[in-house]
Amino acid sequence: MDRKPAVFFDRDGVLNVDSDYLFEIDKFLWIDGAIEAVKAVNDAGYFAFVVTNQSGVARGFYQEADILRLHDWMTSQLAAHGARIDAFEYCPFHPDGLVERYRLVSDRRKPQPGMIADLLKKFPVDVSRSFLVGDRPSDMQAARAAGLPGHAFPGGNLRDFILPLLASG
């Protein structure tokens, strides 16, 4: 199978406005240009992935089912604009979690590269042309650990930020 490049998006602060421990659809706000950025990634022939730490599960704020419900809603919103995320990966674990079964150190929690590594095993990704877009140092560290360039999204319009990155790839 032919390999193709991928864009790994952090979720909170990149695709949506970061409001602490977001899981409710009615509180979700897309970042300006986010839907158009995902569509641009799709149209450029890249995989579009989401890799997101969701320690709110370990902290007892919400359940994994809430994350899945939100990601399903995001999928439907994107589909209405002809865009798609090829896969969502999330890490519900945190070493200081209150919920015992989620209280652990995980190689899937950024800055570790586990979520990215898992996607690289599942999809035929051309790593040499792939990159991550995040808004925190832990995103950049995870990208580096996975052998990918990381690009720090400073805010503003995500489509305007991503188009030059796609053009240079």
Side-chain angles (χ1 to χ4, degrees):
M1 181 181 273
D2 285 344
R3 296 193 169 278
K4 64 183 190 176
V7 176
F8 296 82
F9 290 101
D10 175 45
R11 194 188 83 187
D12 302 329
V14 175
L15 291 176
N16 59 275
V17 174
D18 191 356
S19 58
D20 288 338
Y21 304 109
L22 175 71
F23 67 96
E24 304 102 327
I25 291 168
D26 62 342
K27 292 184 180 172
F28 185 99
L29 293 171
W30 290 100
I31 290 275
D32 289 342
I35 292 173
E36 297 82 0
V38 173
K39 176 107 172 69
V41 166
N42 300 153
D43 292 348
Y46 284 61
F47 287 115
F49 299 131
V50 170
V51 288
T52 178
N53 285 346
Q54 292 297 315
S55 70
V57 174
R59 297 173 195 277
F61 298 151
Y62 50 88
Q63 308 290 318
E64 285 191 74
D66 296 313
I67 299 170
L68 298 175
R69 191 174 310 111
L70 181 61
H71 290 171
D72 286 347
W73 178 84
M74 289 173 67
T75 297
S76 68
Q77 294 285 299
L78 289 163
H81 294 88
R84 76 179 181 288
I85 297 293
D86 293 292
F88 288 88
E89 292 286 335
Y90 66 90
C91 179
F93 305 109
H94 193 280
D96 300 327
L98 299 175
V99 180
E100 188 174 345
R101 71 187 183 109
Y102 294 106
R103 185 187 319 128
L104 57 93
V105 173
S106 171
D107 71 345
R108 289 175 51 83
R109 181 172 173 74
K110 294 178 287 183
Q112 300 303 314
M115 288 187 284
I116 298 168
D118 288 347
L119 286 164
L120 294 177
K121 289 177 198 156
K122 293 178 192 171
F123 291 87
V125 175
D126 177 352
V127 176
S128 70
R129 294 171 48 220
S130 299
F131 58 90
L132 178 140
V133 177
D135 65 328
R136 295 177 181 240
S138 59
D139 297 321
M140 301 305 112
Q141 292 165 333
R144 219 173 10 261
L148 299 172
H151 299 279
F153 177 59
N157 186 295
L158 185 60
R159 179 184 173 271
D160 293 347
F161 179 79
I162 210 132
L163 285 178
L165 299 174
L166 294 172
S168 65

